[in-house]
Amino acid sequence: MATIKRDYYEVLELTKTATGEEIKKTYRKLAVKYHPDKNQGSKEAEEKFKELGEAYEILSDEEKRAAYDRYGHKAFAQGGGASSGAGGFHDPFDVFREVFGQGGGGSGIFGDIFGGGQSSQGRGADLRYDLEISLEEAVKGCEKEITVRKLETCDECQGSGAAPGSKKVVCPTCRGSGKVTVSRGFFSMSQTCPQCGGSGQIIEKPCAKCQGEGRTEKTSKIKLKIPAGVDTGSRLRSVGQGEGGFRGGESGDLYVVIHVKEHPLFVRQDTDLFCEVPISFVKACLGGEVQVPTLDGKAVIRVPSGTASGKLFRLKGKGVPGLRGNHGGDLNIRVYVEVPAKLSSEQRKKLEEFAEVCDESTHPEEQSFFEKAKRFFT
């Protein structure tokens, strides 16, 4: 029985009028909530995580979103009313084989995202790997080594699929053409030969290790260079690191999808970083220097006297570098005045003395507000 897909907007808890920024923000929040690392052993959380990723892949792309709004899920089914392309965010330490269409050079459900699937010439499938990194690693760039279990060229037959001394013969099904014709009513269509996989030849005696496929499953360690400035949703392509091709065919590619962890101090918005820093009541009144954190270490900002809570200070060039040479961002420090939670008797006395000498000029905004609001108090 076919699985009924939920509406992508419903999955992300959004309406069809949601902006791109709202989609991105909501996805991040829900992805953290249902991430498999935080819900170990929960099949339900794992499925929701995959479902979220699939919905985000479509709704975060303007063209795919427009196709979805018009055709619904049919837009991304093989043979649907629009170009295909959708994938799910899977466990970050699991690599899965995508389902690609075969025959006639057509793409399957993941074709638009990954540039086509396994061709009639035996090209290996493209793979996807979801990698979680810290904000520091995303900002500065880093190198990672990942472990991938995938199909690779058989070392026994060197990818030929034939046992030593065996030879290839013309496929009796397609008679060497690599294609067969299938008739459906008034229509006839050509598709890849199911017996030879499109090669036009079959092996007289298949390799015992790979059963004639020319590849076996192996575990590989792959080193990746993560460029500075990546963000959640960024894709890195590693050419030839996907599955090995069928009987010596070209290898597929590996696509690494980045997920950036939330940071305890900094919030990222595109290439800008934001950080909230508390300052004392005294420093807000009198002014002074305040030490603030940056991803390069500490920095010092000068707070002028009379600084109000919520005042924003900008440190140029201390944000996220732009990808591909684009302009980088800034670090924005928003200060807020910390009100003393407890006062000693001496501290209270001093504050009371301060209050006694205050007049309207001390708090002009307060006086202005009550002047405007006085009619509501009568």
Side-chain angles (χ1 to χ4, degrees):
M1 181 180 294
T3 302
I4 299 176
K5 286 181 177 287
R6 286 204 298 156
D7 181 85
Y8 286 148
Y9 291 100
E10 180 186 342
V11 170
L12 289 174
E13 301 177 4
L14 294 168
T15 65
K16 286 191 175 183
T17 59
T19 64
E21 187 61 31
E22 288 173 332
I23 290 172
K24 185 176 183 181
K25 187 176 181 180
T26 303
Y27 165 71
R28 283 179 173 176
K29 180 183 72 174
L30 293 175
V32 169
K33 180 179 179 181
Y34 292 109
H35 198 284
D37 285 354
K38 293 187 177 182
N39 301 273
Q40 294 187 8
S42 173
K43 190 67 177 176
E44 181 182 359
E46 181 182 349
E47 290 303 316
K48 284 186 176 180
F49 187 68
K50 293 178 182 179
E51 188 180 40
L52 283 168
E54 183 177 328
Y56 181 72
E57 287 282 358
I58 298 302
L59 299 186
S60 63
D61 184 289
E62 290 185 6
E63 291 184 5
K64 294 185 177 73
R65 181 179 179 182
Y68 178 74
D69 288 344
R70 185 173 181 182
Y71 298 105
H73 292 297
K74 291 181 180 179
F76 308 102
Q78 194 164 359
S83 62
S84 60
F89 285 149
H90 292 251
D91 186 283
F93 302 103
D94 174 56
V95 175
F96 62 91
R97 298 175 190 173
E98 302 289 4
V99 181
F100 292 95
Q102 300 181 19
S107 63
I109 192 169
F110 296 96
D112 285 352
I113 296 177
F114 298 139
Q118 182 173 322
S119 71
S120 60
Q121 283 70 42
R123 183 183 185 275
D126 292 335
L127 298 178
R128 170 174 169 160
Y129 188 101
D130 288 76
L131 178 66
E132 190 174 53
I133 62 175
S134 67
L135 178 62
E136 289 86 347
E137 290 172 325
V139 170
K140 298 177 181 295
C142 61
E143 289 189 358
K144 290 285 188 180
E145 185 176 76
I146 61 175
T147 301
V148 178
R149 188 156 184 82
K150 58 178 181 172
L151 291 174
E152 292 188 5
T153 300
C154 174
D155 51 18
E156 182 72 23
C157 65
Q158 306 304 312
S160 70
S166 179
K167 61 181 180 180
K168 293 182 178 180
V169 296
V170 175
C171 174
T173 301
C174 65
R175 296 177 183 174
S177 68
K179 295 184 179 295
V180 293
T181 300
V182 179
S183 297
R184 296 179 180 175
F186 295 103
F187 299 97
S188 294
M189 58 186 294
S190 179
Q191 66 181 36
T192 303
C193 175
Q195 185 170 356
C196 66
S199 66
Q201 297 177 314
I202 60 171
I203 297 169
E204 196 175 47
K205 185 180 179 183
C207 169
K209 186 172 183 179
C210 66
Q211 307 301 313
E213 192 171 331
R215 53 189 183 175
T216 56
E217 197 171 66
K218 300 177 184 177
T219 299
S220 300
K221 291 185 181 295
I222 301 171
K223 289 185 177 181
L224 302 170
K225 188 171 183 179
I226 313 297
V230 296
D231 199 359
T232 295
S234 295
R235 291 190 187 93
L236 307 178
R237 179 187 179 193
S238 186
V239 178
Q241 293 288 4
E243 286 192 342
F246 178 73
R247 294 181 184 172
E250 179 187 1
S251 294
D253 299 331
L254 173 66
Y255 289 80
V256 178
V257 181
I258 300 296
H259 301 268
V260 181
K261 300 175 187 175
E262 286 191 358
H263 196 277
L265 291 180
F266 301 104
V267 174
R268 177 176 177 176
Q269 291 184 11
D270 296 324
T271 56
D272 283 342
L273 293 175
F274 290 82
C275 180
E276 291 191 343
V277 176
I279 60 173
S280 67
F281 168 74
V282 174
K283 189 156 287 186
C285 293
L286 303 180
E289 292 185 343
V290 177
Q291 287 190 350
V292 296
T294 77
L295 290 178
D296 296 319
K298 68 180 180 182
V300 176
I301 60 173
R302 179 73 187 177
V303 176
S305 60
T307 294
S309 193
K311 174 75 174 177
L312 197 67
F313 297 85
R314 180 171 296 174
L315 297 179
K316 284 281 187 181
K318 291 293 185 180
V320 182
L323 276 172
R324 305 178 188 89
N326 295 333
H327 179 69
D330 306 321
L331 171 59
N332 300 276
I333 303 294
R334 191 183 303 278
V335 299
Y336 63 93
V337 179
E338 183 180 17
V339 179
K342 293 182 180 180
L343 293 173
S344 66
S345 57
E346 183 179 359
Q347 291 169 333
R348 179 176 290 276
K349 182 180 178 182
K350 294 292 184 183
L351 273 179
E352 289 171 347
E353 291 175 359
F354 170 72
E356 288 176 2
V357 297
C358 288
D359 56 23
E360 292 184 2
S361 63
T362 309
H363 300 101
E365 290 188 16
E366 180 182 9
Q367 294 301 321
S368 175
F369 170 79
F370 282 108
E371 184 66 28
K372 295 175 183 176
K374 62 183 181 182
R375 70 185 182 89
F376 294 98
F377 296 99
T378 57

